[in-house]
Amino acid sequence: MSRPAALVLIGTPIGNLGDLSPRAIEELASASVICCEDTRRTGKLLAHAGIERPDLLVVNDHNESSRRAEVVRRIEHGERVAVVTDAGMPGISDPGERLVSAVVRAGLTVEVVPGPSAGVAALVGSGLPTGRYVFEGFLPRKAGARAERLAELVDERRTLVFYEAPHRVDRTLADLAAAFGGDRRVVVARELTKLYEEFWRGSLDEAVAWAADTPPRGEIAIVVDGAPAPAEPTDDDVSAELRRLLDGGLSTRDAAADVAGRFGLAKKRVYNLALELGR
């Protein structure tokens, strides 16, 4: 049975070729053309899967925008266009996002064949909270943009996931420690699914020393614990803020409403404290 024309995003192994799924093999074998970052790497993957090499179209960070029209045209003409990257899921810190946007705008079909993702693998193996997390990918390389991004994340209470190249991981860990504090928990995952897979766990200060002593090799994912919840203010703290507002001329009711809203406290508790001050 012929398959409908579509853009098919296919997850591929992040290291261990045994993670290539049967469905991924089937889709790669039946695709009219495969968009890939590197024809040599994808060629090796196809050879491992026993797939006779189809047409390969190079789509990388530099030419993805210029390839969009060709991909859309191929699908409009009835072709099934597969998209893979060198490793993992297309569109996650890799080419694919702009292709998907163009195909969706053209009213054409997009399908996804799920597969490995280094960020998710690092997260679930980290031992840090996984219920809510933020994927940040690669931090900006320029110092100003990097500092701005980290400042935005200082109070983020969800677990943070970053990608980094081995030759920059020491700098990134140092920047994370400076921004978040050296005692924040971190897990550095490297060579995931490969022979020398490693999960290093400790504080950010300890991670900086570890990376300096034994620079990690291989592709790296960094998982950082979220910011701790702010301590709830004591009655003395609340009373001091209420006194400031009352002395400034606010009514008891307005001062209590203001403080309860800003501190996220029960209105009744704050109002009772305000009444005590009034007495």
Side-chain angles (χ1 to χ4, degrees), residues 67-83:
R67 291 291 196 194
R68 290 180 294 184
E70 179 179 355
V71 169
V72 168
R73 177 182 57 78
R74 282 177 174 266
I75 297 172
E76 288 176 334
H77 283 75
E79 293 190 31
R80 198 165 172 86
V81 179
V83 181

mmCIF file of all heavy atoms in Angstrom, residues 67-83:
data_model
loop_
_atom_site.group_PDB
_atom_site.id
_atom_site.type_symbol
_atom_site.label_atom_id
_atom_site.label_comp_id
_atom_site.label_asym_id
_atom_site.label_seq_id
_atom_site.Cartn_x
_atom_site.Cartn_y
_atom_site.Cartn_z
ATOM 1 N N ARG A 67 16.288 25.333 1.924
ATOM 2 C CA ARG A 67 15.770 24.026 1.498
ATOM 3 C C ARG A 67 14.254 23.907 1.675
ATOM 4 O O ARG A 67 13.642 22.978 1.158
ATOM 5 C CB ARG A 67 16.436 22.915 2.307
ATOM 6 C CG ARG A 67 17.911 22.686 2.021
ATOM 7 C CD ARG A 67 18.143 22.104 0.658
ATOM 8 N NE ARG A 67 19.488 21.540 0.536
ATOM 9 C CZ ARG A 67 20.064 21.206 -0.616
ATOM 10 N NH1 ARG A 67 19.390 21.408 -1.736
ATOM 11 N NH2 ARG A 67 21.265 20.695 -0.631
ATOM 12 N N ARG A 68 13.652 24.832 2.398
ATOM 13 C CA ARG A 68 12.230 24.678 2.728
ATOM 14 C C ARG A 68 11.340 24.589 1.494
ATOM 15 O O ARG A 68 10.451 23.737 1.423
ATOM 16 C CB ARG A 68 11.771 25.842 3.616
ATOM 17 C CG ARG A 68 12.338 25.801 5.027
ATOM 18 C CD ARG A 68 11.869 26.963 5.865
ATOM 19 N NE ARG A 68 12.384 28.236 5.364
ATOM 20 C CZ ARG A 68 12.195 29.406 5.954
ATOM 21 N NH1 ARG A 68 11.475 29.471 7.066
ATOM 22 N NH2 ARG A 68 12.699 30.512 5.459
ATOM 23 N N ALA A 69 11.585 25.459 0.527
ATOM 24 C CA ALA A 69 10.740 25.470 -0.670
ATOM 25 C C ALA A 69 10.842 24.144 -1.429
ATOM 26 O O ALA A 69 9.832 23.619 -1.911
ATOM 27 C CB ALA A 69 11.129 26.633 -1.576
ATOM 28 N N GLU A 70 12.045 23.590 -1.522
ATOM 29 C CA GLU A 70 12.218 22.321 -2.232
ATOM 30 C C GLU A 70 11.500 21.184 -1.523
ATOM 31 O O GLU A 70 10.862 20.336 -2.157
ATOM 32 C CB GLU A 70 13.706 21.993 -2.377
ATOM 33 C CG GLU A 70 13.960 20.674 -3.092
ATOM 34 C CD GLU A 70 15.438 20.355 -3.259
ATOM 35 O OE1 GLU A 70 16.279 21.220 -2.901
ATOM 36 O OE2 GLU A 70 15.737 19.250 -3.736
ATOM 37 N N VAL A 71 11.592 21.160 -0.190
ATOM 38 C CA VAL A 71 10.920 20.106 0.577
ATOM 39 C C VAL A 71 9.412 20.200 0.400
ATOM 40 O O VAL A 71 8.724 19.194 0.163
ATOM 41 C CB VAL A 71 11.314 20.194 2.066
ATOM 42 C CG1 VAL A 71 10.426 19.294 2.916
ATOM 43 C CG2 VAL A 71 12.782 19.816 2.256
ATOM 44 N N VAL A 72 8.865 21.416 0.496
ATOM 45 C CA VAL A 72 7.426 21.613 0.316
ATOM 46 C C VAL A 72 7.009 21.161 -1.088
ATOM 47 O O VAL A 72 5.982 20.485 -1.262
ATOM 48 C CB VAL A 72 7.038 23.086 0.555
ATOM 49 C CG1 VAL A 72 5.611 23.360 0.092
ATOM 50 C CG2 VAL A 72 7.197 23.435 2.029
ATOM 51 N N ARG A 73 7.807 21.535 -2.100
ATOM 52 C CA ARG A 73 7.476 21.156 -3.483
ATOM 53 C C ARG A 73 7.446 19.643 -3.656
ATOM 54 O O ARG A 73 6.543 19.093 -4.305
ATOM 55 C CB ARG A 73 8.497 21.773 -4.441
ATOM 56 C CG ARG A 73 8.282 21.380 -5.903
ATOM 57 C CD ARG A 73 9.351 21.987 -6.791
ATOM 58 N NE ARG A 73 10.700 21.606 -6.362
ATOM 59 C CZ ARG A 73 11.243 20.421 -6.623
ATOM 60 N NH1 ARG A 73 10.560 19.481 -7.264
ATOM 61 N NH2 ARG A 73 12.478 20.157 -6.218
ATOM 62 N N ARG A 74 8.411 18.960 -3.054
ATOM 63 C CA ARG A 74 8.467 17.497 -3.168
ATOM 64 C C ARG A 74 7.221 16.856 -2.548
ATOM 65 O O ARG A 74 6.646 15.918 -3.105
ATOM 66 C CB ARG A 74 9.731 16.966 -2.484
ATOM 67 C CG ARG A 74 11.014 17.143 -3.296
ATOM 68 C CD ARG A 74 12.206 16.659 -2.484
ATOM 69 N NE ARG A 74 13.449 16.676 -3.238
ATOM 70 C CZ ARG A 74 13.952 15.640 -3.901
ATOM 71 N NH1 ARG A 74 13.303 14.485 -3.917
ATOM 72 N NH2 ARG A 74 15.099 15.735 -4.550
ATOM 73 N N ILE A 75 6.815 17.364 -1.387
ATOM 74 C CA ILE A 75 5.638 16.786 -0.725
ATOM 75 C C ILE A 75 4.383 17.085 -1.544
ATOM 76 O O ILE A 75 3.506 16.234 -1.711
ATOM 77 C CB ILE A 75 5.507 17.335 0.712
ATOM 78 C CG1 ILE A 75 6.727 16.915 1.539
ATOM 79 C CG2 ILE A 75 4.234 16.810 1.372
ATOM 80 C CD1 ILE A 75 6.800 17.562 2.909
ATOM 81 N N GLU A 76 4.297 18.291 -2.094
ATOM 82 C CA GLU A 76 3.145 18.647 -2.935
ATOM 83 C C GLU A 76 3.048 17.751 -4.167
ATOM 84 O O GLU A 76 1.951 17.506 -4.682
ATOM 85 C CB GLU A 76 3.239 20.113 -3.357
ATOM 86 C CG GLU A 76 2.968 21.091 -2.228
ATOM 87 C CD GLU A 76 3.161 22.531 -2.645
ATOM 88 O OE1 GLU A 76 3.952 22.773 -3.596
ATOM 89 O OE2 GLU A 76 2.551 23.419 -2.027
ATOM 90 N N HIS A 77 4.193 17.241 -4.608
ATOM 91 C CA HIS A 77 4.221 16.343 -5.765
ATOM 92 C C HIS A 77 4.076 14.877 -5.360
ATOM 93 O O HIS A 77 4.321 13.978 -6.167
ATOM 94 C CB HIS A 77 5.506 16.541 -6.565
ATOM 95 C CG HIS A 77 5.489 17.778 -7.417
ATOM 96 N ND1 HIS A 77 5.641 19.044 -6.895
ATOM 97 C CD2 HIS A 77 5.320 17.945 -8.772
ATOM 98 C CE1 HIS A 77 5.585 19.937 -7.875
ATOM 99 N NE2 HIS A 77 5.386 19.291 -9.026
ATOM 100 N N GLY A 78 3.704 14.633 -4.096
ATOM 101 C CA GLY A 78 3.376 13.275 -3.674
ATOM 102 C C GLY A 78 4.489 12.492 -3.021
ATOM 103 O O GLY A 78 4.335 11.295 -2.748
ATOM 104 N N GLU A 79 5.612 13.143 -2.716
ATOM 105 C CA GLU A 79 6.731 12.413 -2.120
ATOM 106 C C GLU A 79 6.593 12.352 -0.593
ATOM 107 O O GLU A 79 5.954 13.193 0.040
ATOM 108 C CB GLU A 79 8.062 13.083 -2.495
ATOM 109 C CG GLU A 79 8.390 12.996 -3.976
ATOM 110 C CD GLU A 79 9.801 13.448 -4.274
ATOM 111 O OE1 GLU A 79 10.683 13.257 -3.397
ATOM 112 O OE2 GLU A 79 10.039 14.004 -5.365
ATOM 113 N N ARG A 80 7.204 11.334 -0.047
ATOM 114 C CA ARG A 80 7.281 11.161 1.408
ATOM 115 C C ARG A 80 8.712 11.498 1.806
ATOM 116 O O ARG A 80 9.647 10.760 1.492
ATOM 117 C CB ARG A 80 6.920 9.728 1.766
ATOM 118 C CG ARG A 80 6.549 9.525 3.235
ATOM 119 C CD ARG A 80 5.850 8.190 3.426
ATOM 120 N NE ARG A 80 5.641 7.881 4.835
ATOM 121 C CZ ARG A 80 4.601 8.293 5.534
ATOM 122 N NH1 ARG A 80 3.681 9.044 4.949
ATOM 123 N NH2 ARG A 80 4.472 7.967 6.811
ATOM 124 N N VAL A 81 8.893 12.634 2.480
ATOM 125 C CA VAL A 81 10.219 13.164 2.782
ATOM 126 C C VAL A 81 10.557 12.883 4.244
ATOM 127 O O VAL A 81 9.874 13.370 5.161
ATOM 128 C CB VAL A 81 10.287 14.682 2.512
ATOM 129 C CG1 VAL A 81 11.683 15.215 2.848
ATOM 130 C CG2 VAL A 81 9.930 14.977 1.064
ATOM 131 N N ALA A 82 11.587 12.080 4.477
ATOM 132 C CA ALA A 82 12.039 11.780 5.833
ATOM 133 C C ALA A 82 13.066 12.816 6.274
ATOM 134 O O ALA A 82 13.808 13.365 5.450
ATOM 135 C CB ALA A 82 12.644 10.389 5.901
ATOM 136 N N VAL A 83 13.092 13.095 7.575
ATOM 137 C CA VAL A 83 14.075 14.026 8.135
ATOM 138 C C VAL A 83 14.770 13.343 9.304
ATOM 139 O O VAL A 83 14.111 12.870 10.239
ATOM 140 C CB VAL A 83 13.413 15.327 8.625
ATOM 141 C CG1 VAL A 83 14.472 16.282 9.180
ATOM 142 C CG2 VAL A 83 12.631 15.994 7.509
#
